[in-house]
Amino acid sequence: MDLAGTVGTLNILGDESRLRLCALLLERELSVTDLVKITGISQSRVSTHLARLREGGIVRDRRDGQRSFYVLAKESLSSTAKTVLDAATRSGDPTLERDKRRLSFLDDERCGALPDSFVGEMERHYSPGRTWQSLSVGIAALLDLGEVLDVGSGDGAAAGYLAPYCASLTCIDTNARMIEAATKRLARHKNVRAEVADMHELPFRAASFDAIVLFHTLTYAERPQRALEECARVLRPNGRLVALTLDAHEHRTITAAYGERHPGFAPRTLKRMLSRAGLTVTFADVTCREPKKPHFEVVLAIATKPNA
């Protein structure tokens, strides 16, 4: 027995973090980034531990561009190192088992599968490209719309998703600067026009549109009931109105800073307003809740105009 060598090996492996790294590198090559992601140990500490393991001949490394990859140096391990690592990997230690599961998740991600931890909570987790914006684009592609009016369009951000699927799209807003921005944003869509107009006195003939959208518009309206009546007037028979608005809330000091005049509309209230405007409500309910405080909720309402 090489007493000094044995003591040196035990000294190197007598650290929990270094044992965790060795257990992960036992069967495969991993980068520093991989090891940080799996163990949660800081990059600087992982690099320091790997340098010590490499000096002791327990791991070896290779460079690939800017990245370094490490693997256990099985062929040169001493009998002491083999005994310690074998005992550790067979111990069933909860920390080492958790590292194994995280390594499995990493493999799943690289193979195109989402980790099991995503199941039932996909909306809370990020994966490349899977955003609410991309989902909106995908859903919009299912649409086949006629002549559409976007009331309170702002700078045309939402209209941009709808434009490719409309026979024509008219955007209105009272803010001239917003309309100027919308005109620039939507210039590539030849079926779109944007103009300054008041939702309380729409400058269109009766029965001009097949569909009307009011996305977070009603809380800004001076007279929301009048705005809905005007929308009903310019909507064609069997046409559809879709509205999004904040649910009734008690956080006026927050929303007032954004220029909103009303503290939201409860589904029952919005349904009553749409009915009073002469529309048939097919749906009105809270459909989403913001994850951050004060957890604003959003009401979706869908209504149609009866065929006279």
Side-chain angles (χ1 to χ4, degrees):
M1 174 187 291
D2 177 2
L3 184 59
T6 299
V7 171
T9 298
L10 292 175
N11 187 37
I12 293 174
L13 295 177
D15 180 277
E16 179 182 338
S17 296
R18 288 199 280 270
L19 273 178
R20 291 174 67 188
L21 298 177
C22 287
L24 289 165
L25 297 171
L26 181 62
E27 297 296 337
R28 51 183 304 181
E29 187 180 66
L30 294 168
S31 69
V32 173
T33 301
D34 293 334
L35 292 168
V36 169
K37 185 180 294 186
I38 294 167
T39 63
I41 302 172
S42 69
Q43 183 171 334
S44 60
R45 287 183 59 208
V46 167
S47 296
T48 299
H49 287 313
L50 289 172
R52 184 75 188 279
L53 290 166
R54 186 181 60 234
E55 291 169 2
I58 295 173
V59 304
R60 52 185 169 80
D61 66 323
R62 72 175 180 88
R63 298 283 296 181
D64 183 2
Q66 298 296 317
R67 303 178 70 191
S68 293
F69 292 85
Y70 294 81
V71 69
L72 206 67
K74 295 180 185 179
E75 66 284 351
S76 60
L77 287 179
S78 66
S79 58
T80 301
K82 290 178 181 177
T83 300
V84 172
L85 293 175
D86 185 63
T89 54
R90 293 176 182 271
S91 67
D93 179 79
T95 300
L96 296 180
E97 293 301 314
R98 185 165 59 249
D99 287 347
K100 285 184 181 179
R101 289 195 297 273
R102 288 175 176 168
L103 177 59
S104 177
F105 292 162
L106 185 65
D107 289 338
D108 287 343
E109 290 174 2
R110 287 174 173 170
C111 291
L114 292 173
D116 289 344
S117 60
F118 278 38
V119 176
E121 296 186 335
M122 285 186 66
E123 73 279 5
R124 297 178 57 190
H125 295 277
Y126 169 79
S127 65
R130 189 172 55 82
T131 62
W132 286 113
Q133 182 181 17
S134 66
L135 180 61
S136 299
V137 172
I139 292 174
L142 298 172
L143 300 174
D144 184 13
L145 304 172
E147 296 182 294
V148 180
L149 174 64
D150 184 350
V151 177
S153 65
D155 66 359
Y161 296 124
L162 297 177
Y165 314 106
C166 301
S168 70
L169 175 60
T170 301
C171 300
I172 68 158
D173 200 284
T174 55
N175 188 315
R177 291 184 62 189
M178 285 289 189
I179 288 300
E180 181 180 355
T183 300
K184 292 179 180 178
R185 181 195 291 268
L186 302 169
R188 62 191 179 93
H189 300 289
K190 303 307 179 184
N191 60 330
V192 176
R193 61 173 174 152
E195 59 184 272
V196 176
D198 184 352
M199 71 179 85
H200 304 92
E201 301 292 338
L202 293 174
F204 309 112
R205 296 192 305 271
S208 294
F209 299 97
D210 299 302
I212 297 176
V213 295
L214 296 97
F215 290 167
H216 299 287
T217 300
L218 285 176
T219 53
Y220 293 91
E222 183 178 346
R223 293 169 290 154
Q225 183 63 53
R226 172 62 180 173
L228 290 177
E229 290 168 359
E230 274 293 274
C231 288
R233 179 183 67 81
V234 301
L235 190 63
R236 289 174 180 145
N238 297 320
R240 180 170 53 177
L241 180 147
V242 178
L244 291 172
T245 184
L246 286 180
D247 190 11
H249 61 83
E250 298 178 352
H251 306 286
R252 263 190 115 146
T253 54
I254 296 176
T255 58
Y258 292 88
E260 296 195 12
R261 288 186 166 97
H262 306 279
F265 299 92
R268 182 183 303 176
T269 301
L270 188 54
K271 184 175 182 178
R272 184 169 59 249
M273 293 169 64
L274 289 164
S275 298
R276 193 177 298 162
L279 301 174
T280 301
V281 181
T282 58
F283 182 88
D285 207 349
V286 172
T287 55
C288 56
R289 183 174 187 264
E290 293 184 357
K292 295 182 179 180
K293 291 183 178 180
H295 305 298
F296 286 115
E297 295 184 327
V298 176
V299 175
L300 167 67
I302 305 172
T304 59
K305 185 172 182 177
N307 194 347

